[in-house]
Amino acid sequence: MAARTKPARDGATAIQRPPLVRELLLVAGLFLVYKLGRLLVTGHTGEAFRNAQHVWDLERALHLPGEGAVQSALLHGDSLVHLANTYYATVHFPATATFLVWLYLRRPTHYVWARRALAAITAAALVVHLTFPLAPPRMLGMADLVDTGQVYGPTVYEASPEADSLSNQFAAMPSLHFGWALMVAIGLIVATRSRWRWLWLLHPLLTLLVIVGTANHYWLDAAVAAALLGGVLAVVRLPHRTTTTAKEPSKPVAPAKAPELVGAVR
């Protein structure tokens, strides 16, 4: 008689979803560290502007396109630049949080991996923020760029960095706006199988154009974020899914003939 077996669920995945309360605390802690950690490097105005001069000169030496080219495209209409400012101010946190919630509910293996990667790149970015304060291009006079947030709104920053008690405006490099957006795209590409999943790369691409066009970041801010994420993903590997193979129904096996019965047939 064949033994009854339970079919393996969802590709025979045996991974357990992490405890919800613990994950809420961990993710909330990640966002809190991100916000509070940026405040640790306030007051380094002179160093931040010197570093901005170096970054600007390096970009020109590398023949990178000027940030002003993207901003000029945005400034063709008030609606477009207002939309870019709104995207910068409102999409960053909700998109990342939604990404983590979806993975937690639908792809727990990928969720653990993504949460670890986001925590690692955030920690690495904060180290750079502490050691390399950087004024954004909207503050650099020689860049001749418009602070689109202040002029057209909405903005998440005070007009004066010294008066801003909620954020550190000298934490431009690396851009976690771009780093997190790139992780969201990579995570969804890896976790899904749709032929359209590569379109998720539009999220970091759009984020890149927004952060540069609003003069909140240099091109190199995004490049450093991408490099940090690459290093993180080389270390924080996606766990191999442990699977349990359902037992195949056993085929009926003819009972062995007792020796005496064999003799009787002969």
Side-chain angles (χ1 to χ4, degrees):
M1 181 178 179
R4 297 180 62 186
T5 59
K6 295 181 180 180
R9 294 183 305 166
D10 191 22
T13 302
I15 189 167
Q16 295 294 321
R17 189 173 287 112
L20 179 60
V21 174
R22 187 193 72 181
E23 292 306 310
L24 287 175
L25 292 175
L26 286 173
V27 173
L30 171 64
F31 284 104
L32 186 62
V33 168
Y34 168 70
K35 293 299 292 183
L36 295 181
R38 289 165 57 95
L39 296 175
L40 296 177
V41 290
T42 57
H44 295 264
T45 304
E47 185 180 359
F49 278 94
R50 285 192 297 273
N51 289 336
Q53 178 71 60
H54 296 326
V55 169
W56 183 263
D57 291 342
L58 178 58
E59 286 191 341
R60 307 294 75 81
L62 295 174
H63 302 290
L64 294 178
E67 286 81 358
V70 181
Q71 185 170 93
S72 296
L74 291 181
L75 294 178
H76 277 304
D78 291 358
S79 298
L80 186 59
V81 70
H82 182 80
L83 184 62
N85 288 332
T86 302
Y87 188 96
Y88 181 86
T90 62
V91 173
H92 178 46
F93 281 108
T96 308
T98 302
F99 163 69
L100 288 173
V101 169
W102 185 84
L103 287 182
Y104 179 84
L105 295 175
R106 302 296 299 272
R107 302 287 190 277
T109 302
H110 295 83
Y111 165 79
V112 174
W113 163 70
R115 189 249 295 152
R116 289 173 179 169
L118 283 170
I121 189 178
T122 301
L126 290 178
V127 171
V128 179
H129 293 162
L130 289 168
T131 57
F132 192 77
L134 178 66
R138 57 187 166 81
M139 295 183 185
L140 192 60
M142 66 179 304
D144 195 26
L145 295 170
V146 177
D147 186 341
T148 61
Q150 294 295 331
V151 176
Y152 298 93
T155 181
V156 295
Y157 302 119
E158 296 289 342
S160 170
E162 291 77 12
D164 200 335
S165 60
L166 296 178
S167 61
N168 170 33
Q169 299 191 39
F170 296 144
M173 179 180 288
S175 168
L176 281 179
H177 269 75
F178 181 76
W180 285 12
L182 185 58
M183 182 61 214
V184 168
I186 292 173
L188 290 173
I189 290 170
V190 172
T192 57
R193 292 292 177 266
S194 168
R195 69 167 69 179
W196 304 104
R197 67 188 186 278
W198 295 99
L199 292 177
W200 287 113
L201 290 172
L202 292 175
H203 176 44
L205 176 59
L206 181 58
T207 299
L208 176 61
L209 295 177
V210 164
I211 64 176
V212 171
T214 57
N216 283 296
H217 288 281
Y218 305 89
W219 294 110
L220 287 179
D221 295 342
V224 171
L228 285 178
L229 181 59
V232 165
L233 293 180
V235 176
V236 182
R237 300 294 185 89
L238 180 65
H240 293 293
R241 299 200 302 182
T242 55
T243 58
T244 55
T245 305
K247 296 179 181 179
E248 295 182 358
S250 54
K251 296 181 180 179
V253 179
K257 295 182 180 180
E260 60 272 14
L261 292 178
V262 175
V265 173
R266 291 179 180 175

